[in-house]
Amino acid sequence: MAFGSHTRLDVRRPQYHSSFCSPSTAVAVFVALALVAVWMVSSTLVAPADFSPFHPTTRPSQSPPSTAPMDRHPPPVNQQQPAQEEDANEPPPVTQPGVDQHTELPDNGSQSQPTDNPPAAAETGTQAELLTETTTESDRGSWSTQAAGSNKDTHKQQQQQQQTAAPSNWKLCNTEAGPDYIPCLDNLQAIRKLRTTKHYEHRERHCPQDPPTCLVPLPEGYTSPIWWPKSRDQIWYNNVPHTKLVEYKGHQNWVKVSGEYLTFPGGGTQFKHGALHYIDFIQEAKKDIAWGKQTRVVLDVGCGVASFGGYLFDRDVLTMSFAPKDEHEAQVQFALERGIPAISAVMGTKRLPFPSRVFDVVHCARCRVPWHIEGGKLLLELDRLLHPGGYFVWSATPVYQKLTEDVEIWEAMSTLTRSMCWEMVNKVKDRVNRVGIAIFRKPTDNSCYEGRSAANPPICGEYDDPDAAWNISLQSCVHRLPTDPAIRGSQWPEEWPLRLEKPPYWLKNSEAGVYGKPAAEDFQADYEHWKQVISNSYMNGLGIDWSAVRNVMDMKAVYGGFAAALRGLKVWVMNVIPIDSPDTLPIIYERGLFGVYHDWCESFSTYPRTYDLLHANHLFSKIKKSDVLWWR
């Protein structure tokens, strides 16, 4: 990890490649993701192991068929066989092949219905109207987008739209990264041109101007992944054949090699004796954290192999974990192969791709981030992301060791957090893991900011939108908190699980929603729609073995209704809001789900082969090209 640069915030949105990208570009991104996803794995569910004496609260789930064999291993995949052309061009599972490009798909969910299983009566009329998303600026009303105000490269756009359809012959990517190739993180040509890397610029996104149209090869000996929940504790070695973390962190119980498996004992740098004890220790230190009730959505900075987030599932908590693709090889890849949410990202010079005031808790266990440097720029980014009243849990040597460097860092952090009006609510040592934690709380109003003798860090200017998060430079300032009780962030979200189904208090019926209805009604109608589509069609009509699905991405999530309707399954959903779509990501977080902003003309920041299912509902509806049904 590293700290931010001395860059000034551009009050405009920076230049970006519009999501109205060429068909060849968009299909290349989608097909590359779809082909590397581990889709419909053939192994059967194995029995979960009992890891904890704490009797954790478990989420409702759909049990796999009781007739499944317990230990059958899936057959290995022959990585030498080239992908079939028809597979490369197969549409996403929620679209209907054979429909002309100019024709919008039916908006009542019937595109997913088998002919012998018609949609429910409620899926007519009202629901058909529901999925007709408003797209013009006048229709959007108060809805903003991450791309609003951007300078568009219109000349480049015209050139791209004149290109032909996606190539029919896909080649293997020939890169130094090999089977782990991520185009925007492995762009060596751009990285070599960087003037400096002292702020971890080389770990940030540097997307190639022309997205590659190639397939990422499988590693030698690749095998369909082990299913959740057994995958939390072991994965196939050949699927992620990296051993640096075993060498560096094996003594801390991160990961070990055991024959043909990599095993994960559940430890970490700060919790060598297991994550569950550490998780309960945090709640004992501050009972208001209340895992799974008050606290539902957590950000884990510098997550390692994400065991912290993996075991928080036992407390009904959803964790967004991230770490850079760096010398600690394959951290995020390990996490995703295990079935734990994670993305490749770094705290460098840009804001993280999340809206403001959305995380209940932010956690850092020896995450190697120098929070106190350069005016606390990186800690101020965490302040942007935390709910008012949210907690920062810091588990690092400056909290509990007395070496000169640790003492100096603790003093600097104490000064910085006081200047940010964070209150240290507890500082305590865990005698089992022999580490200490400090818990800080973000204020709930502006009185402390206004009463400071020195405005350092300063209050951010009115031009600085705290929700702007796509390619926005970090700033050394603190954002004021909302004072209107009807504004998002003025109240703590509903307890989980009530927050999943209830429209947020700040979603006003006086404003139109994405589909044109009053906003709160729009939210509820979207949720009812997806519950019906999933129960009437997705569970039985698509040929998906849901017991084999763990990692899911919704590529255009809107309100997160698709993810909410899957709550009863043992899956997690990465909700993606395209940067030129209405900015509904705060709503997704408010209901206890999570996601990111993204431009689908660029590569997603994840390793290949990390998603079991990709869901795309009207993702390409804006991309029109006559006489070409390019996604078939």
Side-chain angles (χ1 to χ4, degrees):
M1 295 292 174
F3 41 90
S5 66
H6 298 279
T7 51
R8 181 177 177 82
L9 176 67
D10 186 351
V11 299
R12 307 166 300 168
R13 298 295 191 278
Q15 293 184 358
Y16 74 105
H17 296 294
S18 168
S19 285
F20 291 85
C21 49
S22 71
S24 61
T25 300
V27 74
V29 173
F30 180 77
V31 172
L33 273 172
L35 286 178
V36 299
V38 183
W39 172 244
M40 301 303 296
V41 295
S42 58
S43 60
T44 55
L45 188 65
V46 292
D50 183 12
F51 303 103
S52 169
F54 299 101
H55 305 291
T57 302
T58 56
R59 297 181 299 158
S61 62
Q62 176 173 300
S63 300
S66 59
T67 57
M70 299 302 292
D71 294 312
R72 189 185 69 191
H73 291 172
V77 176
N78 184 354
Q79 71 277 5
Q80 299 299 326
Q81 294 296 326
Q84 295 293 326
E85 180 178 330
E86 56 269 28
D87 291 340
N89 294 309
E90 189 176 0
V94 297
T95 55
Q96 180 178 352
V99 180
D100 188 88
Q101 172 90 18
H102 296 289
T103 304
E104 196 72 35
L105 296 179
D107 289 335
N108 58 358
S110 61
Q111 67 268 26
S112 301
Q113 300 283 353
T115 55
D116 59 348
N117 184 20
E123 284 292 293
T124 60
T126 301
Q127 299 298 330
E129 178 186 356
L130 169 69
L131 287 188
T132 305
E133 181 178 342
T134 58
T135 57
T136 64
E137 292 298 328
S138 59
D139 288 337
R140 281 185 182 144
S142 61
W143 290 100
S144 64
T145 69
Q146 283 291 313
S150 297
N151 295 319
K152 300 181 179 179
D153 189 345
T154 55
H155 178 68
K156 179 66 176 177
Q157 174 65 25
Q158 292 171 356
Q159 288 181 330
Q160 290 177 334
Q161 296 218 352
Q162 292 171 1
Q163 294 177 358
T164 57
S168 58
N169 295 319
W170 298 88
K171 299 179 180 179
L172 293 182
C173 299
N174 182 18
T175 70
E176 294 182 21
D180 299 333
Y181 176 51
I182 306 174
C184 293
L185 300 184
D186 294 316
N187 186 354
L188 298 181
Q189 183 178 9
I191 292 172
R192 289 174 182 137
K193 293 179 180 179
L194 293 173
R195 295 181 178 179
T196 177
T197 59
K198 68 179 182 178
H199 297 105
Y200 259 47
E201 292 89 344
H202 57 305
R203 306 298 185 194
E204 295 182 322
R205 290 171 58 84
H206 301 281
C207 296
Q209 185 173 10
D210 297 316
T213 54
C214 59
L215 301 179
V216 179
L218 293 173
E220 184 177 353
Y222 179 84
T223 303
S224 295
I226 296 170
W227 293 1
W228 181 269
K230 190 175 181 180
S231 63
R232 184 172 68 178
D233 304 299
Q234 66 179 40
I235 63 175
W236 297 110
Y237 169 80
N238 285 336
N239 287 12
V240 192
H242 301 298
T243 59
K244 283 188 178 180
L245 275 176
V246 177
E247 299 165 7
Y248 294 159
K249 302 292 185 178
H251 65 289
Q252 296 172 353
N253 286 330
W254 280 33
V255 57
K256 298 179 182 294
V257 177
S258 178
E260 59 187 344
Y261 300 106
L262 290 165
T263 61
F264 300 86
T269 303
Q270 300 298 91
F271 43 91
K272 300 175 186 178
H273 299 288
L276 279 176
H277 168 80
Y278 176 76
I279 288 166
D280 288 339
F281 172 69
I282 292 172
Q283 181 165 292
E284 286 298 315
K286 185 60 182 175
K287 294 188 182 300
D288 289 348
I289 285 179
W291 300 123
K293 294 182 179 179
Q294 287 291 103
T295 297
R296 164 62 181 176
V297 187
V298 171
L299 179 68
D300 189 15
V301 182
C303 62
V305 297
S307 289
F308 180 72
Y311 282 90
L312 274 173
F313 278 115
D314 289 352
R315 302 292 183 264
D316 224 2
V317 174
L318 199 58
T319 306
M320 175 71 75
S321 300
F322 75 92
K325 186 178 183 182
D326 63 4
E327 65 274 4
H328 279 168
E329 204 170 48
Q331 299 173 87
V332 167
Q333 192 175 21
F334 280 136
L336 288 159
E337 183 75 11
R338 298 173 70 190
I340 301 172
I343 60 171
S344 293
V346 64
M347 298 200 73
T349 68
K350 304 290 185 181
R351 287 179 178 174
L352 294 170
F354 315 120
S356 69
R357 305 189 301 271
V358 292
F359 288 101
D360 305 328
V361 168
V362 177
H363 172 257
C364 161
R366 295 282 288 275
C367 55
R368 300 173 61 206
V369 179
W371 301 114
H372 60 293
I373 299 297
E374 294 192 341
K377 184 176 293 187
L378 297 185
L379 198 64
L380 288 164
E381 171 65 356
L382 297 191
D383 183 83
R384 182 183 75 87
L385 299 177
L386 267 175
H387 278 301
Y391 296 99
F392 173 56
V393 179
W394 189 37
S395 172
T397 55
V399 176
Y400 59 94
Q401 291 189 0
K402 300 302 181 182
L403 299 176
T404 301
E405 183 182 13
D406 290 323
V407 171
E408 291 175 351
I409 292 174
W410 173 255
E411 291 176 351
M413 276 289 285
S414 298
T415 301
L416 173 61
T417 52
R418 283 195 299 268
S419 70
M420 294 168 55
C421 294
W422 284 12
E423 177 190 3
M424 189 178 73
V425 296
N426 206 350
K427 180 183 178 184
V428 62
K429 189 168 184 177
D430 177 8
R431 298 191 181 279
V432 173
N433 288 300
R434 303 181 65 83
V435 300
I437 62 171
I439 303 177
F440 300 87
R441 187 171 186 254
K442 180 178 175 177
T444 57
D445 58 45
N446 296 308
S447 58
C448 175
Y449 300 146
E450 296 165 352
R452 292 181 301 171
S453 57
N456 185 27
I459 300 295
C460 298
E462 294 183 2
Y463 61 84
D464 188 341
D465 179 3
D467 290 323
W470 186 253
N471 284 338
I472 299 296
S473 299
L474 293 173
Q475 279 284 86
S476 297
C477 62
V478 61
H479 291 93
R480 294 182 62 86
L481 303 179
T483 56
D484 186 339
I487 299 297
R488 181 175 70 84
S490 60
Q491 303 177 35
W492 194 264
E494 293 276 354
E495 281 193 358
W496 178 262
L498 294 178
R499 63 196 286 187
L500 181 73
E501 301 185 356
K502 187 176 180 180
Y505 65 90
W506 42 268
L507 205 56
K508 305 177 181 65
N509 269 332
S510 59
E511 299 175 352
V514 173
Y515 303 119
K517 298 177 181 295
E521 294 180 22
D522 221 38
F523 171 97
Q524 198 63 47
D526 176 80
Y527 183 37
E528 294 300 322
H529 165 78
W530 283 112
K531 285 195 294 185
Q532 293 184 33
V533 169
I534 287 172
S535 62
N536 294 340
S537 176
Y538 282 29
M539 289 297 102
N540 302 305
L542 297 181
I544 297 174
D545 179 2
W546 286 93
S547 65
V549 175
R550 172 64 178 173
N551 302 358
V552 179
M553 178 187 288
D554 191 356
M555 301 174 74
K556 188 181 180 186
V558 191
Y559 296 116
F562 170 76
L566 291 176
R567 182 194 167 205
L569 301 182
K570 293 182 179 179
V571 304
W572 61 269
V573 181
M574 179 66 75
N575 294 283
V576 179
I577 297 300
I579 62 170
D580 61 352
S581 293
D583 187 3
T584 51
L585 194 52
I587 298 174
I588 291 172
Y589 275 92
E590 188 81 8
R591 65 191 307 183
L593 306 172
F594 65 12
V596 296
Y597 297 115
H598 187 60
D599 180 353
W600 279 120
C601 287
E602 298 179 357
S603 165
F604 194 81
S605 290
T606 192
Y607 283 83
R609 306 173 300 280
T610 53
Y611 283 90
D612 304 319
L613 188 148
L614 301 177
H615 180 258
N617 182 59
H618 288 210
L619 177 65
F620 304 121
S621 60
K622 296 177 182 178
I623 304 173
K624 306 292 184 182
K625 190 167 181 66
S626 60
D627 302 322
V628 176
L629 187 60
W630 51 265
W631 52 263
R632 282 192 63 185

